[in-house]
Amino acid sequence: MEVGFLGLGIMGKAMSINLIRSGFKLTVWNRTLSKCDELVELGASIGETPAAVVKKCNYTIAMLSDPSVALSVVFDKDGVLEQICHGKGYIDMSTVGADTSSKISEAITSKGGSFLEAPVSGSKKPAEDGQLVILAAGEKALYDEAIPAFDIMGKKSFFLGQVGNGAKMKLVVNMIMGSMMNAFSEGLVLADRSGLNPHTLLDVLDLGGIANPMFRLKGPTMIQNNYSPAFPLKHQQKDMRLALALGDENAVSMPVAAAANEAFKKARSLGLGDLDFSAVYETVKTLEHSS
Amino acid sequence: MEVGFLGLGIMGKAMSINLIRSGFKLTVWNRTLSKCDELVELGASIGETPAAVVKKCNYTIAMLSDPSVALSVVFDKDGVLEQICHGKGYIDMSTVGADTSSKISEAITSKGGSFLEAPVSGSKKPAEDGQLVILAAGEKALYDEAIPAFDIMGKKSFFLGQVGNGAKMKLVVNMIMGSMMNAFSEGLVLADRSGLNPHTLLDVLDLGGIANPMFRLKGPTMIQNNYSPAFPLKHQQKDMRLALALGDENAVSMPVAAAANEAFKKARSLGLGDLDFSAVYETVKTLEHSS
Amino acid sequence: MEVGFLGLGIMGKAMSINLIRSGFKLTVWNRTLSKCDELVELGASIGETPAAVVKKCNYTIAMLSDPSVALSVVFDKDGVLEQICHGKGYIDMSTVGADTSSKISEAITSKGGSFLEAPVSGSKKPAEDGQLVILAAGEKALYDEAIPAFDIMGKKSFFLGQVGNGAKMKLVVNMIMGSMMNAFSEGLVLADRSGLNPHTLLDVLDLGGIANPMFRLKGPTMIQNNYSPAFPLKHQQKDMRLALALGDENAVSMPVAAAANEAFKKARSLGLGDLDFSAVYETVKTLEHSS
Amino acid sequence: MEVGFLGLGIMGKAMSINLIRSGFKLTVWNRTLSKCDELVELGASIGETPAAVVKKCNYTIAMLSDPSVALSVVFDKDGVLEQICHGKGYIDMSTVGADTSSKISEAITSKGGSFLEAPVSGSKKPAEDGQLVILAAGEKALYDEAIPAFDIMGKKSFFLGQVGNGAKMKLVVNMIMGSMMNAFSEGLVLADRSGLNPHTLLDVLDLGGIANPMFRLKGPTMIQNNYSPAFPLKHQQKDMRLALALGDENAVSMPVAAAANEAFKKARSLGLGDLDFSAVYETVKTLEHSS
């Protein structure tokens, strides 16, 4: 079976290499075509345009950098829409909002094609190791068809129902993560000011019931005031905002997330928006004006 | 070397059995002496009173049920104070506040004895398995002397400096835990009201960067509205209050912990104080008056 | 000078009567034309359509019930746009969002007309008494031209700069008001549960530095659990949300407003959205499930 | 009837002058006796010690600078306790906590005397003008006896029931005030960053339903970053803390007050504790590190 793959950035390249190494017959496309070379060496074919890829393949996976690219790959000249039709599937694994996802879904299905949004949790390393977590939503039949590919790219995939649910699930997870990062920051500062060694706090936390990879990974760098951005603070704050808006729609009061969101906003106002989201630690630490 | 052990409740019994099985020569005491039988069968001696145990041993460990018992074992007739002296150590592993700990510390050291507070993280199962985490503070020499015993009872022990630091470390950890429980509750409700399956949220969380034993353990019971108390909500709220008070002393602003504390107070006002602390979930769920 | 007036609801009628009694030469229009009778008796002319009113007058004031009506009066057949032109002004005093206001502003100015948004603070009684507060923004020359009319309708008018600033000023005021209502509710409940008489608290508050009309007006009805809607809670919560969004755009962290907003959302989830915004008091009061 | 007056500081002097001008027969005492001169010129007698004053008078009013002075005037040699007895009353109008008040109350009543705590709201100017608000609690009969004096010193007095209720009422009022100050600060910053003139916001606020003396008084100085201390921020934060503790005792969840309290703590951590409580405005304003 022919599978298409659009977008060979850091994530897409790792994912498509895993597919081809596992025996998938891939046709790939990338805006800068030279990025396809490594895939071609491994046995992939090249499609000249998104439309050409879709024409040739049963279903096509996209892993694109942002919503505007995700839209142009579908709607522009030589885009996905020109060839999508009954019997063909399109799976967008990019991280885009519910709005973008809905727009693409409507366009694909109005042409008779089937659509799946499938954003992932996990970055470069999990992508290379085939350890992504895949949050799929949309056409169940297409999900079933893509399971063999998902099993290669991820350690686990979920089918979450209607289009939009993948994006919502990411928001919920990121909201919990953002509140936890604030709780963690407050704890680190409280320990430090109370005469306890923050490194010891990290050790104690890591031995108990709330031990988790994020504390283990971020704690040591936070103590060193190192916030090189894995997940930029302004994106974390945007996700908190969107999760609170989702709560507003559904009349869910979330006072802890709201307090965490205001701390992230404070961090933005301090000019920390482009640093890692763990830089919210700075808003808790802030001491005397004179220091 | 002779080691004393006062208090053979659920925790103390498990801990002392581990010590004796590893070759420690133990003299034990318990208010209800019959509880000593099992230890005697394993080779322990009995002390008739706390004073008698202290007299016989190099250092004595106590694991008592609450602060009032911890105080009476030291200060009452036939108590620890009557025999403690230069060259002897007393290690209180009970969970008591910084105040109680300081009172005991002063009394012991004024008699020439050395003192260590050493509250533990972990309950029955880790106690039986020798997997406790021990947060010791006080006399460093006594800590060093007790390391062989700590290595048997716990998977890890920490020396945290002056008396009081053990209690403070527990407060910081429990504060982070309480905020996390609120973040988790908010996420579960948001998922549910947004049309996502809370069980799927648990699965997704458990595969990501914030996966932790507490979410794994409490999530399924919370979804079933099962709050049988492992750690009562009113105790969690007390720890939040004390942690916030510690922050107040040290001018640390902790808006997320404060919001979480108010949610726990709301739960208390709803009559949920004796349930598990995960019952704070109920304050987030609450729907229409009529339902 | 001929002045037009569109919309003779409760507010518009009171405002136009004041204008005509003070000697303004008015041409009025209302969707249900019979509502114009009282004005005609006082000397007003009738315009058959919004377009007809605009054609006849130097500037035209509108006081319409909601954004959709405000839009249709301008854009529909026989609407304002058909006759607005260079030298004519249009003043929308309805309460509409910044979006609606901008749309109308662009349409009017693209035809060469001048535009002013001028939402008011105050309801029926102040409208009748000519005691409104007028928050005008847009074309300064038109503001200057309308000052004589504003002086009749209001006790005070402000010119706030570019279109949108009137709506923003209302949001800021309502945000402060919403936080104050929460602070007040918390105080009333705290007094009651601490054994103090809430009525006495009202008396004490009214004699001090934070005495204000809202506490004086709402306090007694809140204590009686009477929340007949003067300003519906769901509208207050919408204004909190929009004010927080405005803060988000401008990187202003507002933790107290955020906490107040979550309380209003909790009230909505309890089914109180259509009651007066003072019903947020219920979320603070809530006691045991069993009660 | 002979009335005693202990303490002729700024407040006590103004209050006692009002009493004597209204015909009260006063016996006064002050630690520095020379401060009594002005009163003597107006016709007052001098008591050499607190005990001497109490001996001579039906009831004695005290207006002292802080809890430690309030205690020493009662308990020290030549103090109130030496002469208080059945038939004599003692009215402490100083601002002291519930603890201090209870201690004094118990001592007085155990000697057969009657006691009233009567803290006031209002500072120098209202004291001079006889416009204080008096929050009395304790022995009702003594309150009734003192009404003629209260009517001279204050514009209004309240009898609030048992000893401690005066202090609690002040806490509730100050808690509401502290939350309001935060809401106000957030509004001022939001206006400013959104392109609105903060002075105009003050004008608009002052014309509406939440107009109050505090906004009117503090607004202009806050905009000028002038925080000369009328009520020090650290005292406001202490009152927030105590009010939240009172809520904790009574299971009242107060999320807005809690958020406000954390902002005041943040202000303390920025070194603003000795400035006026309106300096919490600085925590909302804080912008980029680099600015």
Side-chain angles (χ1 to χ4, degrees):
Chain A
M1 188 171 69
E2 283 281 355
V3 171
F5 206 106
L6 312 179
L8 299 174
I10 291 171
M11 295 293 287
K13 189 173 142 188
M15 292 155 76
S16 56
I17 287 176
N18 281 332
L19 286 174
I20 208 157
R21 283 195 174 138
S22 303
F24 276 79
K25 221 173 147 188
L26 277 198
T27 300
V28 302
W29 170 89
N30 192 69
R31 185 147 303 200
T32 311
L33 278 175
S34 61
K35 286 209 177 168
C36 300
D37 294 352
E38 190 174 346
L39 272 294
V40 170
E41 281 173 35
L42 292 168
S45 308
I46 287 189
E48 295 290 316
T49 63
V53 173
V54 169
K55 186 176 184 184
K56 199 172 158 195
C57 299
N58 298 66
Y59 66 84
T60 299
I61 294 167
M63 189 65 182
L64 303 157
S65 54
D66 63 46
S68 67
V69 179
L71 286 168
S72 88
V73 159
V74 171
F75 291 96
D76 284 3
K77 187 169 171 344
D78 298 324
V80 170
L81 269 196
E82 295 187 1
Q83 290 293 337
I84 200 80
C85 59
H86 184 75
K88 286 185 182 293
Y90 185 64
I91 302 174
D92 193 347
M93 301 185 74
S94 322
T95 292
V96 299
D99 284 357
T100 302
S101 208
S102 291
K103 241 181 247 175
I104 296 175
S105 173
E106 279 164 32
I108 299 286
T109 53
S110 74
K111 291 271 186 178
S114 58
F115 177 74
L116 209 58
E117 66 173 357
V120 303
S121 164
S123 51
K124 190 186 175 192
K125 189 70 168 47
E128 291 172 347
D129 298 346
Q131 294 291 306
L132 297 168
V133 176
I134 298 166
L135 305 172
E139 178 62 47
K140 180 66 162 57
L142 180 55
Y143 173 75
D144 291 337
E145 191 179 351
I147 283 178
F150 288 160
D151 284 350
I152 301 303
M153 295 184 287
K155 63 180 166 187
K156 178 83 179 171
S157 72
F158 295 91
F159 181 74
L160 302 171
Q162 66 190 23
V163 169
N165 284 358
K168 284 180 190 173
M169 185 62 87
K170 276 205 79 167
L171 283 185
V172 174
V173 171
N174 282 1
M175 180 190 78
I176 297 174
M177 182 172 76
S179 293
M180 274 175 65
M181 177 49 82
N182 272 275
F184 184 48
S185 296
E186 291 180 0
L188 281 170
V189 175
L190 180 59
D192 189 36
R193 298 264 190 93
S194 305
L196 302 170
N197 186 328
H199 289 284
T200 308
L201 173 61
L202 295 185
D203 291 342
V204 172
L205 284 171
D206 205 36
L207 291 161
I210 55 174
N212 66 83
M214 181 176 79
F215 288 2
R216 204 173 297 131
L217 183 70
K218 299 286 182 185
T221 53
M222 288 162 71
I223 292 173
Q224 293 161 28
N225 305 328
N226 173 352
Y227 312 110
S228 63
F231 183 41
L233 190 140
K234 65 185 176 192
H235 293 169
Q236 168 69 70
Q237 196 260 317
K238 189 192 65 183
D239 283 356
M240 296 298 290
R241 178 202 311 149
L242 293 174
L244 284 161
L246 186 61
D248 205 320
E249 277 171 43
N250 295 289
V252 183
S253 176
M254 302 186 292
V256 166
N261 185 40
E262 296 307 313
F264 283 120
K265 280 164 65 180
K266 172 60 79 179
R268 271 179 53 213
S269 83
L270 294 169
L272 310 173
D274 291 320
L275 299 183
D276 190 64
F277 77 115
S278 56
V280 76
Y281 180 48
E282 289 291 318
T283 70
V284 188
K285 277 197 319 184
T286 320
L287 262 183
E288 303 220 10
H289 275 122
S290 54
S291 71
Chain B
M1 186 172 67
E2 284 279 355
V3 171
F5 206 106
L6 310 179
L8 299 174
I10 291 170
M11 296 293 288
K13 190 173 141 188
M15 292 155 75
S16 55
I17 287 176
N18 281 332
L19 287 174
I20 208 158
R21 283 195 173 140
S22 302
F24 276 80
K25 224 174 146 187
L26 278 199
T27 301
V28 303
W29 169 89
N30 193 70
R31 186 145 301 201
T32 311
L33 279 176
S34 62
K35 287 211 177 168
C36 299
D37 294 351
E38 191 175 346
L39 271 295
V40 171
E41 282 173 34
L42 292 168
S45 309
I46 286 188
E48 295 291 317
T49 63
V53 173
V54 170
K55 185 175 184 185
K56 198 172 159 196
C57 299
N58 299 66
Y59 66 84
T60 299
I61 294 167
M63 189 64 182
L64 302 157
S65 55
D66 63 46
S68 67
V69 178
L71 287 167
S72 88
V73 158
V74 171
F75 291 96
D76 285 2
K77 186 169 172 338
D78 297 325
V80 170
L81 269 195
E82 294 186 2
Q83 290 293 336
I84 200 80
C85 59
H86 185 77
K88 286 186 182 294
Y90 184 65
I91 302 174
D92 193 346
M93 301 184 75
S94 323
T95 291
V96 300
D99 283 358
T100 301
S101 207
S102 291
K103 241 181 248 174
I104 295 176
S105 173
E106 279 164 33
I108 298 287
T109 53
S110 73
K111 292 271 187 178
S114 59
F115 177 75
L116 207 59
E117 67 173 356
V120 302
S121 163
S123 51
K124 190 187 175 194
K125 188 69 170 44
E128 290 172 348
D129 298 346
Q131 293 292 306
L132 296 168
V133 176
I134 297 166
L135 305 173
E139 179 61 48
K140 181 64 163 59
L142 179 54
Y143 173 75
D144 291 337
E145 191 180 350
I147 282 179
F150 289 159
D151 284 350
I152 300 304
M153 295 183 288
K155 61 181 167 187
K156 178 85 180 171
S157 72
F158 295 91
F159 180 74
L160 302 171
Q162 66 191 20
V163 169
N165 283 357
K168 283 179 190 173
M169 186 60 88
K170 276 204 80 167
L171 283 185
V172 174
V173 171
N174 282 1
M175 180 188 79
I176 297 174
M177 182 172 74
S179 293
M180 273 175 66
M181 178 50 81
N182 272 275
F184 184 47
S185 297
E186 292 180 359
L188 281 170
V189 175
L190 181 58
D192 190 34
R193 299 266 189 92
S194 305
L196 302 171
N197 186 327
H199 289 283
T200 308
L201 174 60
L202 295 185
D203 290 342
V204 173
L205 285 170
D206 205 35
L207 290 161
I210 55 175
N212 66 84
M214 181 176 79
F215 288 2
R216 204 173 298 132
L217 183 70
K218 299 286 182 185
T221 53
M222 288 162 72
I223 291 174
Q224 294 161 26
N225 305 328
N226 174 351
Y227 311 111
S228 63
F231 183 40
L233 189 141
K234 65 186 176 192
H235 293 168
Q236 168 69 69
Q237 196 260 317
K238 190 193 65 184
D239 283 356
M240 296 297 291
R241 179 200 311 149
L242 293 174
L244 284 162
L246 186 61
D248 204 322
E249 277 171 44
N250 295 289
V252 182
S253 175
M254 302 186 291
V256 166
N261 185 41
E262 296 307 313
F264 282 121
K265 280 164 65 180
K266 171 60 80 179
R268 271 178 54 213
S269 83
L270 294 170
L272 309 173
D274 292 319
L275 299 184
D276 190 64
F277 77 115
S278 56
V280 76
Y281 180 47
E282 289 290 319
T283 69
V284 188
K285 277 198 319 187
T286 319
L287 262 182
E288 304 221 11
H289 274 120
S290 54
S291 71
Chain C
M1 189 172 67
E2 284 281 351
V3 171
F5 205 106
L6 311 179
L8 299 175
I10 290 170
M11 295 293 286
K13 190 174 141 188
M15 293 156 74
S16 56
I17 287 176
N18 281 331
L19 287 175
I20 209 159
R21 283 195 174 139
S22 302
F24 276 79
K25 220 172 149 190
L26 278 198
T27 300
V28 302
W29 170 88
N30 192 69
R31 185 146 302 199
T32 311
L33 278 175
S34 62
K35 287 208 177 169
C36 299
D37 293 353
E38 190 174 346
L39 271 294
V40 170
E41 282 171 34
L42 292 169
S45 308
I46 288 188
E48 294 291 316
T49 62
V53 173
V54 170
K55 185 175 183 185
K56 198 173 159 194
C57 299
N58 299 66
Y59 64 85
T60 298
I61 294 167
M63 190 65 181
L64 302 158
S65 54
D66 63 47
S68 67
V69 178
L71 287 167
S72 88
V73 158
V74 171
F75 291 95
D76 284 2
K77 187 169 170 344
D78 298 324
V80 170
L81 270 195
E82 295 187 0
Q83 290 294 336
I84 200 81
C85 60
H86 184 77
K88 287 185 182 293
Y90 184 65
I91 302 174
D92 193 347
M93 300 184 74
S94 322
T95 292
V96 300
D99 283 358
T100 302
S101 209
S102 291
K103 241 181 249 174
I104 294 175
S105 173
E106 279 163 34
I108 298 287
T109 53
S110 74
K111 292 270 187 177
S114 59
F115 178 74
L116 208 59
E117 67 173 358
V120 303
S121 164
S123 51
K124 191 186 174 192
K125 189 70 168 46
E128 291 172 348
D129 298 347
Q131 294 292 306
L132 296 168
V133 176
I134 297 167
L135 306 172
E139 178 61 45
K140 181 64 163 58
L142 179 55
Y143 173 75
D144 291 337
E145 191 181 349
I147 283 180
F150 289 160
D151 284 350
I152 301 302
M153 295 184 287
K155 63 180 167 187
K156 178 84 180 173
S157 72
F158 296 90
F159 181 74
L160 302 170
Q162 66 190 24
V163 169
N165 283 358
K168 284 180 189 173
M169 185 61 87
K170 276 204 80 168
L171 283 185
V172 174
V173 171
N174 282 2
M175 180 189 79
I176 297 174
M177 182 172 75
S179 293
M180 274 175 66
M181 177 51 80
N182 272 275
F184 184 47
S185 297
E186 292 179 0
L188 281 170
V189 175
L190 180 59
D192 190 35
R193 300 266 189 92
S194 306
L196 302 171
N197 185 329
H199 289 284
T200 308
L201 173 60
L202 295 185
D203 290 342
V204 173
L205 285 170
D206 205 36
L207 290 162
I210 55 174
N212 66 83
M214 181 175 80
F215 288 2
R216 205 173 298 132
L217 183 70
K218 298 286 183 186
T221 53
M222 289 162 71
I223 293 174
Q224 295 161 25
N225 305 328
N226 174 352
Y227 312 111
S228 63
F231 183 40
L233 190 140
K234 65 186 176 190
H235 293 169
Q236 169 69 71
Q237 196 260 317
K238 189 192 65 183
D239 283 356
M240 297 298 290
R241 178 203 310 149
L242 292 174
L244 285 161
L246 186 62
D248 204 320
E249 276 170 45
N250 294 289
V252 183
S253 175
M254 302 186 291
V256 166
N261 185 40
E262 296 307 313
F264 283 120
K265 280 164 65 181
K266 172 58 81 180
R268 270 179 54 213
S269 83
L270 294 169
L272 310 173
D274 292 320
L275 299 183
D276 190 64
F277 77 115
S278 56
V280 75
Y281 181 48
E282 289 290 319
T283 68
V284 188
K285 277 199 317 187
T286 319
L287 262 183
E288 304 219 10
H289 274 120
S290 55
S291 69
Chain D
M1 187 171 65
E2 284 280 354
V3 171
F5 206 106
L6 311 179
L8 300 173
I10 291 170
M11 295 292 289
K13 189 173 142 188
M15 291 155 76
S16 55
I17 287 177
N18 280 332
L19 286 174
I20 208 157
R21 284 196 173 140
S22 302
F24 276 79
K25 223 173 147 189
L26 278 198
T27 301
V28 303
W29 170 89
N30 192 69
R31 185 146 300 201
T32 312
L33 278 176
S34 61
K35 287 212 177 167
C36 300
D37 293 352
E38 192 174 344
L39 271 293
V40 170
E41 282 173 34
L42 291 168
S45 308
I46 288 188
E48 294 291 319
T49 63
V53 173
V54 170
K55 185 176 184 184
K56 197 173 159 196
C57 299
N58 298 64
Y59 66 85
T60 299
I61 294 167
M63 190 65 183
L64 303 158
S65 55
D66 64 45
S68 67
V69 179
L71 287 167
S72 88
V73 158
V74 171
F75 290 96
D76 283 3
K77 185 168 170 345
D78 298 325
V80 171
L81 268 195
E82 295 187 0
Q83 290 293 336
I84 199 81
C85 60
H86 184 78
K88 286 185 181 294
Y90 184 64
I91 301 174
D92 193 346
M93 300 185 74
S94 323
T95 292
V96 300
D99 284 358
T100 302
S101 207
S102 292
K103 241 182 248 174
I104 295 176
S105 173
E106 279 164 33
I108 299 287
T109 52
S110 74
K111 291 272 187 177
S114 59
F115 177 74
L116 208 59
E117 67 174 358
V120 303
S121 164
S123 52
K124 190 186 174 193
K125 188 69 169 45
E128 291 173 347
D129 299 346
Q131 295 291 306
L132 296 168
V133 176
I134 298 166
L135 304 173
E139 178 62 46
K140 180 64 163 59
L142 179 54
Y143 173 75
D144 291 337
E145 191 180 350
I147 282 179
F150 288 161
D151 285 349
I152 301 302
M153 295 184 286
K155 62 179 165 187
K156 178 86 180 168
S157 73
F158 295 91
F159 180 74
L160 302 171
Q162 66 191 23
V163 169
N165 284 358
K168 284 179 189 173
M169 185 61 87
K170 276 203 81 167
L171 284 185
V172 174
V173 171
N174 282 2
M175 180 189 79
I176 298 174
M177 182 172 76
S179 293
M180 273 175 66
M181 178 50 82
N182 272 274
F184 184 48
S185 297
E186 291 179 1
L188 281 170
V189 176
L190 180 59
D192 190 34
R193 299 265 190 94
S194 306
L196 302 171
N197 186 328
H199 289 284
T200 308
L201 174 60
L202 295 185
D203 290 342
V204 173
L205 285 171
D206 205 35
L207 291 161
I210 56 175
N212 67 82
M214 180 175 80
F215 288 2
R216 205 173 297 133
L217 184 69
K218 299 287 182 183
T221 53
M222 289 162 72
I223 292 174
Q224 293 160 27
N225 305 329
N226 174 351
Y227 312 110
S228 63
F231 183 42
L233 190 140
K234 65 186 176 193
H235 292 167
Q236 169 69 69
Q237 197 260 316
K238 189 193 67 184
D239 283 355
M240 296 298 290
R241 178 201 310 147
L242 293 174
L244 284 162
L246 186 60
D248 204 320
E249 277 170 43
N250 295 288
V252 183
S253 175
M254 301 186 292
V256 166
N261 185 41
E262 295 307 313
F264 283 120
K265 280 163 65 180
K266 172 59 79 179
R268 272 179 52 214
S269 84
L270 293 170
L272 310 173
D274 291 320
L275 299 183
D276 189 64
F277 76 115
S278 56
V280 76
Y281 181 49
E282 288 291 318
T283 68
V284 188
K285 275 198 318 186
T286 321
L287 263 184
E288 303 218 13
H289 275 120
S290 55
S291 71

